[in-house]
Amino acid sequence: MTREVLVVLHSGRETNRRTAAAVAHRLAASGIRLRVLGKEWAEVDDGNLPEELAPRVVDGRPGCADGAEVVLVLGGDGTLLRAAEMARPVGVPLLGVNLGRVGFLAEAEEESLDHALEAIVEGSYSVEERMTLDAVARTNGHVLARTWALNEATVEKVSRERILEVVLEVDGRPVSAFGCDGVICATPTGSTAYAFSAGGPLVWPQVKALLLVPSNAHALFARPMVIAPDSEVAIEVDQSGPPAVLECDGRRTVALPPGARVELAAGATPVRMVRLDGQPFADRLVRKFNLPVRGWRGAPQSAS
Protein backbone atom coordinates (compact mmCIF):
# COMPACT_ATOMS: atom_id res chain seq x y z
CA MET A 1 0.00 0.00 0.00
CA THR A 2 1.38 3.41 -1.00
CA ARG A 3 2.35 5.66 1.87
CA GLU A 4 0.69 9.10 1.84
CA VAL A 5 1.44 12.51 3.35
CA LEU A 6 -1.09 15.34 3.29
CA VAL A 7 0.56 18.66 2.39
CA VAL A 8 -1.11 21.91 3.42
CA LEU A 9 0.53 24.93 1.83
CA HIS A 10 0.55 28.68 2.11
CA SER A 11 0.48 29.08 -1.65
CA GLY A 12 0.49 32.87 -1.78
CA ARG A 13 4.27 33.07 -2.29
CA GLU A 14 6.20 31.84 -5.30
CA THR A 15 9.03 30.54 -3.09
CA ASN A 16 6.53 28.44 -1.13
CA ARG A 17 5.15 26.93 -4.33
CA ARG A 18 8.64 26.00 -5.49
CA THR A 19 9.33 24.45 -2.09
CA ALA A 20 6.12 22.38 -2.33
CA ALA A 21 7.13 21.08 -5.78
CA ALA A 22 10.55 20.06 -4.44
CA VAL A 23 8.87 18.30 -1.50
CA ALA A 24 6.62 16.34 -3.87
CA HIS A 25 9.61 15.08 -5.87
CA ARG A 26 11.65 14.28 -2.76
CA LEU A 27 8.88 12.19 -1.21
CA ALA A 28 7.97 10.55 -4.52
CA ALA A 29 11.59 9.42 -4.84
CA SER A 30 11.03 7.52 -1.58
CA GLY A 31 7.72 6.02 -2.75
CA ILE A 32 5.51 8.42 -0.79
CA ARG A 33 2.55 10.03 -2.50
CA LEU A 34 1.18 13.44 -1.58
CA ARG A 35 -2.40 14.13 -0.69
CA VAL A 36 -3.13 17.75 -1.64
CA LEU A 37 -5.80 20.42 -1.78
CA GLY A 38 -6.89 21.07 -5.36
CA LYS A 39 -6.61 24.87 -5.44
CA GLU A 40 -3.18 24.80 -3.83
CA TRP A 41 -1.77 22.07 -6.05
CA ALA A 42 -3.03 23.74 -9.22
CA GLU A 43 -0.42 26.45 -8.56
CA VAL A 44 2.37 23.91 -7.90
CA ASP A 45 1.97 20.94 -10.25
CA ASP A 46 4.75 20.64 -12.84
CA GLY A 47 3.39 17.38 -14.31
CA ASN A 48 6.70 15.56 -13.83
CA LEU A 49 5.75 13.08 -11.12
CA PRO A 50 5.30 9.35 -11.93
CA GLU A 51 1.67 8.54 -12.69
CA GLU A 52 1.42 6.02 -9.87
CA LEU A 53 2.61 8.69 -7.40
CA ALA A 54 0.58 11.59 -8.75
CA PRO A 55 -0.87 13.56 -5.80
CA ARG A 56 -4.37 12.66 -4.67
CA VAL A 57 -6.68 15.66 -4.36
CA VAL A 58 -8.82 15.98 -1.20
CA ASP A 59 -11.44 18.55 -0.28
CA GLY A 60 -9.87 20.07 2.84
CA ARG A 61 -12.77 19.20 5.12
CA PRO A 62 -12.21 18.06 8.73
CA GLY A 63 -10.92 14.50 8.70
CA CYS A 64 -9.58 14.56 5.12
CA ALA A 65 -6.19 13.56 6.55
CA ASP A 66 -7.58 10.12 7.45
CA GLY A 67 -5.11 7.44 6.35
CA ALA A 68 -2.17 9.80 5.90
CA GLU A 69 0.92 9.26 8.03
CA VAL A 70 1.58 12.95 8.64
CA VAL A 71 0.16 16.33 7.70
CA LEU A 72 3.13 18.35 6.44
CA VAL A 73 2.42 22.06 6.82
CA LEU A 74 4.42 24.46 4.65
CA GLY A 75 3.70 27.98 5.85
CA GLY A 76 3.21 29.85 9.11
CA ASP A 77 1.03 29.46 12.18
CA GLY A 78 -2.15 30.36 10.30
CA THR A 79 -1.54 27.56 7.83
CA LEU A 80 -0.92 25.11 10.67
CA LEU A 81 -4.16 26.11 12.41
CA ARG A 82 -5.99 25.50 9.14
CA ALA A 83 -4.33 22.10 8.80
CA ALA A 84 -5.26 21.21 12.39
CA GLU A 85 -8.92 21.23 11.36
CA MET A 86 -8.18 18.47 8.85
CA ALA A 87 -5.98 16.37 11.12
CA ARG A 88 -7.50 16.59 14.60
CA PRO A 89 -10.66 14.50 14.07
CA VAL A 90 -8.63 11.51 12.83
CA GLY A 91 -5.56 11.84 15.07
CA VAL A 92 -2.99 12.39 12.30
CA PRO A 93 0.07 14.31 13.57
CA LEU A 94 1.07 17.71 12.18
CA LEU A 95 4.62 18.59 11.16
CA GLY A 96 5.00 22.31 10.60
CA VAL A 97 7.83 23.77 8.52
CA ASN A 98 7.94 27.52 8.96
CA LEU A 99 7.95 29.43 5.68
CA GLY A 100 6.49 32.55 7.30
CA ARG A 101 7.74 34.97 9.93
CA VAL A 102 7.54 33.82 13.56
CA GLY A 103 5.95 30.42 13.02
CA PHE A 104 5.85 29.50 16.70
CA LEU A 105 3.84 26.33 16.13
CA ALA A 106 6.24 24.97 13.51
CA GLU A 107 8.66 22.22 14.44
CA ALA A 108 11.21 23.04 11.73
CA GLU A 109 12.50 26.04 9.83
CA GLU A 110 12.93 26.23 6.06
CA GLU A 111 16.65 25.57 6.30
CA SER A 112 15.99 22.26 8.08
CA LEU A 113 13.34 21.06 5.60
CA ASP A 114 15.60 18.25 4.34
CA HIS A 115 15.94 16.92 7.88
CA ALA A 116 12.14 17.02 8.31
CA LEU A 117 11.58 15.12 5.06
CA GLU A 118 14.18 12.53 6.02
CA ALA A 119 12.38 12.02 9.33
CA ILE A 120 9.10 11.43 7.47
CA VAL A 121 10.68 8.96 5.05
CA GLU A 122 12.37 7.01 7.85
CA GLY A 123 9.57 7.42 10.40
CA SER A 124 12.16 8.74 12.86
CA TYR A 125 10.08 11.19 14.85
CA SER A 126 8.05 11.29 18.03
CA VAL A 127 4.53 12.61 18.55
CA GLU A 128 3.20 14.68 21.42
CA GLU A 129 -0.37 15.64 22.20
CA ARG A 130 -1.35 19.28 22.61
CA MET A 131 -4.25 20.32 24.77
CA THR A 132 -7.28 21.86 23.04
CA LEU A 133 -10.38 23.76 24.15
CA ASP A 134 -14.01 22.76 23.68
CA ALA A 135 -16.42 25.71 23.51
CA VAL A 136 -20.20 25.83 23.74
CA ALA A 137 -22.11 29.06 23.10
CA ARG A 138 -25.61 29.32 24.57
CA THR A 139 -28.42 31.86 24.66
CA ASN A 140 -31.56 31.51 26.77
CA GLY A 141 -30.57 27.92 27.50
CA HIS A 142 -30.33 26.98 23.81
CA VAL A 143 -27.07 25.93 22.18
CA LEU A 144 -25.94 28.37 19.49
CA ALA A 145 -22.84 26.43 18.50
CA ARG A 146 -20.23 23.92 19.59
CA THR A 147 -16.67 24.42 18.44
CA TRP A 148 -13.03 24.05 19.53
CA ALA A 149 -9.63 25.73 19.55
CA LEU A 150 -5.97 24.79 19.63
CA ASN A 151 -4.62 28.24 20.54
CA GLU A 152 -7.44 30.25 22.05
CA ALA A 153 -11.13 31.03 22.22
CA THR A 154 -11.94 34.73 22.58
CA VAL A 155 -15.15 36.55 23.43
CA GLU A 156 -14.81 40.04 21.95
CA LYS A 157 -16.87 43.14 21.33
CA VAL A 158 -18.01 43.82 17.78
CA SER A 159 -18.73 47.51 18.21
CA ARG A 160 -15.63 49.67 18.50
CA GLU A 161 -17.37 52.46 20.40
CA ARG A 162 -19.01 50.20 23.03
CA ILE A 163 -17.44 48.46 26.02
CA LEU A 164 -18.21 44.77 26.45
CA GLU A 165 -19.45 43.97 29.97
CA VAL A 166 -18.75 40.39 31.05
CA VAL A 167 -18.85 38.15 34.11
CA LEU A 168 -16.25 35.41 34.49
CA GLU A 169 -17.19 32.12 36.11
CA VAL A 170 -14.83 29.31 37.16
CA ASP A 171 -16.13 25.93 38.33
CA GLY A 172 -19.66 27.26 38.72
CA ARG A 173 -18.69 30.29 40.84
CA PRO A 174 -18.48 33.98 39.79
CA VAL A 175 -14.93 35.36 39.90
CA SER A 176 -15.02 38.87 38.46
CA ALA A 177 -17.12 41.26 36.38
CA PHE A 178 -15.74 44.13 34.30
CA GLY A 179 -15.90 46.06 31.07
CA CYS A 180 -13.33 45.18 28.42
CA ASP A 181 -12.56 44.71 24.76
CA GLY A 182 -12.73 40.96 25.29
CA VAL A 183 -11.59 37.90 27.23
CA ILE A 184 -9.17 35.28 25.95
CA CYS A 185 -9.20 31.68 27.12
CA ALA A 186 -6.01 30.03 25.89
CA THR A 187 -4.22 26.72 26.04
CA PRO A 188 -0.49 26.52 26.88
CA THR A 189 0.13 26.19 23.13
CA GLY A 190 -1.75 29.44 22.61
CA SER A 191 0.09 31.28 25.37
CA THR A 192 2.59 32.57 22.78
CA ALA A 193 -0.15 33.94 20.51
CA TYR A 194 -3.02 36.37 21.17
CA ALA A 195 -2.92 35.79 24.94
CA PHE A 196 0.73 36.84 25.03
CA SER A 197 -0.05 40.06 23.12
CA ALA A 198 -2.75 40.83 25.72
CA GLY A 199 -0.29 40.50 28.62
CA GLY A 200 -0.72 36.83 29.50
CA PRO A 201 2.11 34.57 30.73
CA LEU A 202 4.18 32.23 28.60
CA VAL A 203 3.37 28.65 29.55
CA TRP A 204 5.43 25.60 28.59
CA PRO A 205 3.41 23.31 26.27
CA GLN A 206 3.82 20.36 28.64
CA VAL A 207 1.91 22.19 31.37
CA LYS A 208 -1.75 21.20 31.67
CA ALA A 209 -3.69 24.39 32.41
CA LEU A 210 -6.15 26.93 31.05
CA LEU A 211 -5.37 30.64 30.79
CA LEU A 212 -7.90 33.45 31.22
CA VAL A 213 -6.60 36.80 29.95
CA PRO A 214 -8.76 39.96 29.89
CA SER A 215 -8.11 42.32 26.97
CA ASN A 216 -8.04 46.05 27.82
CA ALA A 217 -10.19 45.62 30.91
CA HIS A 218 -11.63 48.61 32.79
CA ALA A 219 -11.10 47.18 36.28
CA LEU A 220 -8.57 47.07 39.11
CA PHE A 221 -8.78 43.29 39.35
CA ALA A 222 -8.68 41.93 35.86
CA ARG A 223 -5.40 40.05 35.85
CA PRO A 224 -4.47 36.98 33.81
CA MET A 225 -5.32 33.75 35.62
CA VAL A 226 -3.90 30.24 35.24
CA ILE A 227 -6.59 27.68 35.98
CA ALA A 228 -6.61 23.94 36.62
CA PRO A 229 -6.89 21.82 33.46
CA ASP A 230 -10.10 20.17 34.64
CA SER A 231 -11.78 23.46 35.55
CA GLU A 232 -14.83 24.69 33.68
CA VAL A 233 -14.90 28.33 32.62
CA ALA A 234 -17.83 30.48 31.52
CA ILE A 235 -17.90 33.99 30.08
CA GLU A 236 -21.30 35.69 30.30
CA VAL A 237 -22.14 38.70 28.15
CA ASP A 238 -24.25 41.42 29.79
CA GLN A 239 -27.92 41.21 28.83
CA SER A 240 -28.30 44.98 28.42
CA GLY A 241 -25.04 45.54 26.57
CA PRO A 242 -23.87 45.21 22.98
CA PRO A 243 -23.54 41.89 21.12
CA ALA A 244 -20.22 40.06 21.00
CA VAL A 245 -18.47 37.39 18.98
CA LEU A 246 -16.78 34.10 19.86
CA GLU A 247 -13.66 33.42 17.78
CA CYS A 248 -11.66 30.20 17.96
CA ASP A 249 -8.12 30.37 16.56
CA GLY A 250 -9.29 33.24 14.38
CA ARG A 251 -10.95 30.66 12.11
CA ARG A 252 -14.29 29.65 13.60
CA THR A 253 -16.69 32.48 14.51
CA VAL A 254 -20.00 32.52 16.38
CA ALA A 255 -22.15 35.67 16.76
CA LEU A 256 -23.18 36.20 20.39
CA PRO A 257 -26.33 38.20 21.20
CA PRO A 258 -26.58 40.16 24.46
CA GLY A 259 -26.98 37.76 27.37
CA ALA A 260 -25.09 34.92 25.67
CA ARG A 261 -22.94 32.54 27.66
CA VAL A 262 -19.79 30.78 26.44
CA GLU A 263 -18.68 27.65 28.31
CA LEU A 264 -15.08 26.47 27.94
CA ALA A 265 -13.22 23.38 29.10
CA ALA A 266 -10.25 21.25 28.14
CA GLY A 267 -10.96 19.58 24.81
CA ALA A 268 -11.86 15.93 24.55
CA THR A 269 -9.71 15.53 21.41
CA PRO A 270 -6.11 16.78 21.40
CA VAL A 271 -4.05 17.90 18.41
CA ARG A 272 -1.07 15.64 17.75
CA MET A 273 2.23 17.31 16.83
CA VAL A 274 5.43 15.81 15.44
CA ARG A 275 8.65 16.37 17.39
CA LEU A 276 11.92 15.91 15.55
CA ASP A 277 14.78 16.54 17.95
CA GLY A 278 13.28 17.33 21.34
CA GLN A 279 14.56 20.94 21.34
CA PRO A 280 13.82 22.56 24.72
CA PHE A 281 10.98 25.09 24.72
CA ALA A 282 13.36 27.65 26.26
CA ASP A 283 15.55 27.49 23.14
CA ARG A 284 12.51 28.08 20.96
CA LEU A 285 11.53 31.14 22.99
CA VAL A 286 15.01 32.61 22.65
CA ARG A 287 15.12 31.97 18.90
CA LYS A 288 11.62 33.14 18.02
CA PHE A 289 11.60 36.25 20.21
CA ASN A 290 15.30 37.01 19.78
CA LEU A 291 15.69 37.17 23.57
CA PRO A 292 18.97 38.46 25.07
CA VAL A 293 20.93 35.68 26.78
CA ARG A 294 24.41 37.24 26.78
CA GLY A 295 26.17 36.63 30.08
CA TRP A 296 24.67 33.19 30.72
CA ARG A 297 27.30 30.90 32.25
CA GLY A 298 25.26 27.76 32.78
CA ALA A 299 25.35 25.32 35.68
CA PRO A 300 28.67 25.00 37.53
CA GLN A 301 30.78 22.16 36.23
CA SER A 302 31.64 19.53 38.83
CA ALA A 303 35.31 18.84 39.42
CA SER A 304 36.53 15.65 37.78
Side-chain angles (χ1 to χ4, degrees):
M1 185 176 179
T2 303
R3 300 170 65 192
E4 290 190 1
V5 168
L6 171 61
V7 171
V8 180
L9 170 69
H10 184 314
S11 59
R13 299 173 183 167
E14 174 61 28
T15 54
N16 292 8
R17 297 194 292 270
R18 290 199 299 266
T19 297
V23 165
H25 286 279
R26 170 69 178 87
L27 293 179
S30 299
I32 299 175
R33 181 169 67 177
L34 294 193
R35 195 180 295 188
V36 299
L37 306 181
K39 290 184 179 179
E40 294 177 0
W41 188 248
E43 302 181 61
V44 174
D45 189 12
D46 58 12
N48 293 326
L49 290 171
E51 183 177 350
E52 67 276 11
L53 291 174
R56 185 157 69 91
V57 176
V58 294
D59 56 17
R61 287 183 292 184
C64 71
D66 190 23
E69 294 183 20
V70 169
V71 177
L72 179 62
V73 182
L74 303 175
D77 285 350
T79 311
L80 192 141
L81 290 171
R82 177 163 60 92
E85 295 179 341
M86 309 174 203
R88 174 179 175 260
V90 290
V92 176
L94 297 160
L95 171 51
V97 178
N98 180 35
L99 303 183
R101 289 179 292 177
V102 178
F104 219 103
L105 295 174
E107 179 64 15
E109 299 298 319
E110 186 172 7
E111 57 268 23
S112 58
L113 175 59
D114 287 343
H115 172 57
L117 296 178
E118 182 180 352
I120 291 174
V121 171
E122 297 181 357
S124 57
Y125 55 83
S126 60
V127 176
E128 69 178 21
E129 293 188 345
R130 293 292 184 92
M131 183 179 182
T132 58
L133 287 169
D134 283 342
V136 181
R138 303 180 189 272
T139 182
N140 297 322
H142 300 291
V143 173
L144 286 173
R146 298 180 185 272
T147 184
W148 69 280
L150 171 59
N151 268 354
E152 73 277 312
T154 66
V155 174
E156 297 181 314
K157 66 180 186 179
V158 293
S159 175
R160 181 179 179 182
E161 65 274 10
R162 301 287 299 276
I163 293 175
L164 183 67
E165 298 286 344
V166 299
V167 179
L168 301 187
E169 173 192 302
V170 178
D171 293 330
R173 305 303 303 162
V175 172
S176 187
F178 47 78
C180 59
D181 286 350
V183 179
I184 305 159
C185 184
T187 66
T189 297
S191 71
T192 56
Y194 189 11
F196 174 72
S197 299
L202 293 174
V203 181
W204 263 235
Q206 295 80 9
V207 174
K208 301 298 183 184
L210 299 176
L211 281 68
L212 267 181
V213 183
S215 175
N216 295 325
H218 297 253
L220 291 176
F221 183 79
R223 302 294 184 184
M225 292 182 282
V226 180
I227 299 169
D230 57 352
S231 286
E232 296 180 350
V233 174
I235 303 169
E236 295 185 342
V237 178
D238 183 45
Q239 291 184 343
S240 59
V245 62
L246 166 65
E247 287 199 0
C248 291
D249 292 338
R251 295 193 52 79
R252 295 168 293 280
T253 302
V254 180
L256 301 174
R261 172 184 171 93
V262 176
E263 298 168 348
L264 301 154
T269 306
V271 167
R272 305 180 76 222
M273 306 277 279
V274 167
R275 297 301 310 274
L276 296 178
D277 51 18
Q279 182 187 57
F281 184 66
D283 288 354
R284 180 168 297 192
L285 286 179
V286 169
R287 185 178 75 252
K288 296 293 187 179
F289 289 136
N290 195 25
L291 300 179
V293 293
R294 182 177 298 173
W296 180 69
R297 295 187 299 275
Q301 301 296 314
S302 58
S304 56

